[in-house]
Every structure is written in structure tokens, then in C-alpha cells.
Amino acid sequence: MLDLAKLCKPGPFRSQTNRLGDFIGTFRDGALVAMAGQRLKLPGYTEISALCVDPAFRGRGMGTELVRRMCDRIRDAGNTPFLHAYASNTSAIALYEHLGFVTRTRVEATNWVRNAAVQ
């Protein structure tokens, strides 16, 4: 999972991220080539996270299938699926819009450093 996330760069994915919720994957010849999971859970909502498809396997519908399956799981649990994407990830946004997701808001993320006085 970590290797696939490093290859695809879906956003923050650490060694324990897979413990935050359910994950599903697609394997070819014993190797994980696509995955999607759940992360943030709010009352009535569950985030689809870490959608990754190895570049060598893109264009075969794996991402579509994983998002649909994850949406089904989330809805079966009585929640509404949501997700986010970097604005620069236009291919992911196109896939999500094709599947019926719509942009609700844009968020600006910045890094900040707390300055501490040195005595």
C-alpha cells in the first residue's frame, strides 16, 4: 500500500493510514495495482481516500470500479460518501465528476511555522 501511494501521490498517506478505515484493492499477478479506502468520518458522512491506480494500469476502469464499490460500502453503512482532490489533479476530478460528484468548496492549504522566542 505504501509503495502504491508513493507512486501515485494521492495526498498524505503514512504507514498507519490503512488503519483509519476500510480499504479495498485490485491485484494483478500478486501485486497491488489499485486501491481506495476510507479515512475521515463525520456524522452521516465518510470520506473516500487514497484512490490510487498504478500508472501502468490506468484507463482500464479500475479507479471507477473502486470508487463505486467504496460508495456502495459507505451507503450500506447509512452514510454519504465524500472526497477531496488537489486542484491540480485534474484526471481524478474528471473521474469523480463523471461518477456524479460535484465540487462543493475549494480549500486553500498552507504550511505554517510557529515562531518561538529564543531567550
Side-chain angles (χ1 to χ4, degrees):
M1 292 175 80
L2 283 172
D3 289 342
L4 185 59
K6 286 178 186 174
L7 179 66
C8 298
K9 298 176 180 66
F13 194 95
R14 308 284 189 262
S15 63
Q16 302 294 315
T17 299
N18 64 319
R19 294 182 177 198
L20 297 175
D22 292 339
F23 274 80
I24 54 177
T26 303
F27 292 82
R28 293 292 184 266
D29 298 322
L32 180 66
V33 297
M35 69 177 180
Q38 299 176 8
R39 187 171 56 180
L40 183 62
K41 292 182 169 100
L42 303 167
Y45 297 89
T46 301
E47 175 193 19
I48 298 173
S49 180
L51 176 64
C52 297
V53 179
D54 184 311
F57 291 88
R58 290 184 184 159
R60 301 179 191 190
M62 290 180 186
T64 297
E65 178 63 21
L66 289 172
V67 172
R68 285 185 174 150
R69 287 175 48 204
M70 192 55 68
C71 284
D72 288 345
R73 284 184 178 208
I74 291 168
R75 287 186 188 112
D76 288 348
N79 292 318
T80 300
F82 75 98
L83 46 79
H84 68 271
Y86 290 124
S88 61
N89 195 347
T90 56
S91 60
I93 293 169
L95 169 64
Y96 302 148
E97 289 175 343
H98 174 75
L99 293 172
F101 287 90
V102 295
T103 300
R104 299 284 184 210
T105 190
R106 296 190 186 277
V107 176
E108 293 290 328
T110 61
N111 290 327
W112 62 275
V113 176
R114 183 179 300 177
N115 293 321
V118 177
Q119 297 185 4

